[in-house]
DNA sequence: CTATGTGAATCGATTCACAGCC
DNA sequence: GGCTGTGAATCGATTCACATAG
């Protein structure tokens, strides 16, 4: 199956294939072709086949890919065939929205604990969780073997909290603060900066306008 | 300056350069070198120079790039030297968090209007705005010449609202629903799917574990 | 006849090596 | 000595063309 050396570009599309395969299954289709996947996602059929070939050949010529197979295989590569606990730090507006977001559960992630350093928030309940003091971070992450965390704190506090997270043994951080975090190479960081997304979108709009000028 | 044909890979880094240049300026430095930018962002110095060369040569050998110049030039490329109005549709947890997010203003975007189809929410105030009925979408977007929108509605409603947005003349949609939107080629869509971000992060963590096994 | 899987060719992005400027 | 800008080389990803299986 060779899950070890998946190209970066392929890896970014895996989640899309999973979602699309699930959509097909939910419409009671048993198979899906590379052509169908490509059309739905705005890719080429060849690209889809090359991608899927990276994790074993299980498509059937003349038929396509079995949806359940595809889903199972992608989940096993992503590691979302089992539910993983995630710590959420920061209970501002964004943090609270993420805490109550139902989409994570359905895709193999469970918010396992909620932290903030503001003593006015500690003890309050959001969604199914009680906000804990950030000083409990190390204890809880160790106890519950938490490997991933979502960072939804203000920019000025992000590096400090990231350092604490690294100290607990967390190996992946999903960062919503608009700063570049400095972490050891063994820790993965993925930053989602909302303003940057808007900037990129604006750029795409502008370049389209130029195209059709 | 040649802003027309910036490679996609470069475009995605422009926002990072802007942020970093601002950080340098805020520390009262007047210039910044490609080496410094590269180190802070985890890139190579050559890559940074090639990128910056795409929008005119204004670095000074032996000195570096003037921070203010760099900031000004990037903003003019991104079009964020003027403030742009953005419509926000969907006042669930995420929508409300985005509505009150202060970071957009500082980077050239202004939430100009807030919409929802839930009549229990229409008329309520979040941040500085009053939620408007989604039936007003066309009127308001036309009147205020709104070109970009943020879509923070449930997945099942996303395509329908996207169609309405396209109908108002919106040219760019920042979509937070975990679905692939179908829009005309003249409309740009950027999707931020939170679960997918976690999946990608989990994959990165797993592949690192394999590396050091 | 339909659709996968893959070597070969193409295309694009990154890195190297270095010439030129401060 | 320090740093930018850029052609040439390398590396990786996409597309093409087609052999092969249902």
């Amino acid at each position: 199956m060779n899950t070890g050396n998946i190209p970066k570009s392929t890896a970014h599309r895996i989640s899309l294939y999973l979602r699309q395969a699930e959509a097909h299954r939910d419409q009671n289709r048993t198979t899906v072709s590379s052509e169908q996947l490509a059309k739905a996602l705005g890719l080429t059929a060849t690209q889809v086949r090359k991608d899927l070939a990276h994790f074993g050949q299980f498509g059937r010529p003349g038929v396509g890919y079995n949806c359940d197979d595809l889903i199972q295989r992608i989940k096993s590569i992503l590691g979302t065939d089992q539910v993983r606990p995630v710590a959420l730090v920061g209970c501002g507006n964004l943090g609270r929205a993420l805490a109550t977001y139902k989409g994570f559960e359905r895709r193999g992630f469970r918010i396992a604990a909620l932290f903030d350093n503001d003593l006015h928030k500690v003890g309050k309940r959001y969604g199914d969780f009680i906000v804990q003091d950030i000083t409990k971070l190390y204890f809880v992450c160790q106890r519950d073997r938490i490997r991933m965390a979502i960072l939804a704190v203000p920019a000025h506090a992000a590096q400090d909290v990231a350092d604490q997270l690294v100290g607990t043994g967390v190996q992946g951080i999903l960062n919503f603060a608009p700063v570049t975090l400095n972490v050891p190479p063994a820790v993965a960081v993925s930053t989602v900066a909302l303003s940057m997304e808007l900037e990129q979108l604006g750029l795409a709009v502008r370049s389209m306008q130029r195209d059709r000028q």
Side-chain angles (χ1 to χ4, degrees), chain A:
Chain A
M1 198 195 294
N2 211 1
T3 78
N5 45 2
I6 294 172
K8 225 188 286 189
S9 49
T10 299
H12 283 117
R13 286 187 292 263
I14 287 183
S15 296
L16 295 172
Y17 297 140
L18 173 58
R19 198 188 306 295
Q20 207 60 38
E22 285 176 338
H24 264 258
R25 182 198 53 187
D26 294 348
Q27 289 163 13
N28 293 316
R29 300 182 171 280
T30 55
T31 63
V32 59
S33 71
S34 57
E35 182 68 39
Q36 290 173 306
L37 288 171
K39 197 159 287 176
L41 296 170
L43 308 168
T44 71
T46 308
Q47 195 173 35
V48 172
R49 289 201 298 277
K50 265 255 164 59
D51 282 345
L52 298 189
H54 274 106
F55 33 102
Q57 47 183 92
F58 61 107
R60 299 234 313 261
V63 180
Y65 301 87
N66 179 282
C67 291
D68 290 327
D69 258 20
L70 188 51
I71 292 165
Q72 212 32 64
R73 238 173 249 234
I74 295 179
K75 280 191 178 174
S76 109
I77 287 169
L78 291 173
T80 52
D81 42 358
Q82 296 164 343
V83 176
R84 298 182 172 271
V86 179
L88 173 47
V89 187
C91 293
N93 291 313
L94 182 59
R96 292 198 301 272
L98 295 171
T100 52
Y101 180 56
K102 295 292 172 230
F104 293 138
E105 298 269 351
R106 292 196 210 98
R107 294 194 81 80
F109 300 98
R110 185 174 59 85
I111 304 290
L114 217 60
F115 298 93
D116 204 294
N117 66 351
D118 179 349
L119 295 180
H120 294 98
K121 287 176 184 160
V122 171
K124 284 199 177 169
R125 183 196 194 85
Y126 296 120
D128 296 335
F129 292 97
I130 309 265
V131 180
Q132 301 184 67
D133 191 296
I134 187 131
T135 56
K136 303 265 174 60
L137 192 64
Y138 182 82
F139 171 72
V140 174
C141 287
Q142 289 273 323
R143 183 192 63 192
D144 297 348
R145 288 179 180 72
I146 291 175
R147 295 278 166 83
M148 293 170 60
I150 299 175
L151 193 45
V153 303
H156 63 84
Q159 182 62 57
D160 180 52
V161 177
D163 292 342
Q164 292 182 59
L165 284 168
V166 170
T168 68
V170 158
Q171 294 170 309
I173 299 175
L174 179 54
N175 169 42
F176 285 90
V179 295
T180 307
L181 296 179
N182 214 318
V183 299
V187 177
V189 173
S190 171
T191 295
V192 176
L194 300 170
S195 315
M196 276 181 45
E197 299 291 338
L198 272 184
E199 285 171 357
Q200 293 299 313
L201 185 66
L203 195 59
V205 168
R206 286 164 67 90
S207 70
M208 278 175 170
Q209 286 171 346
R210 264 194 306 274
D211 287 351
R212 82 194 61 259
Q213 130 277 17

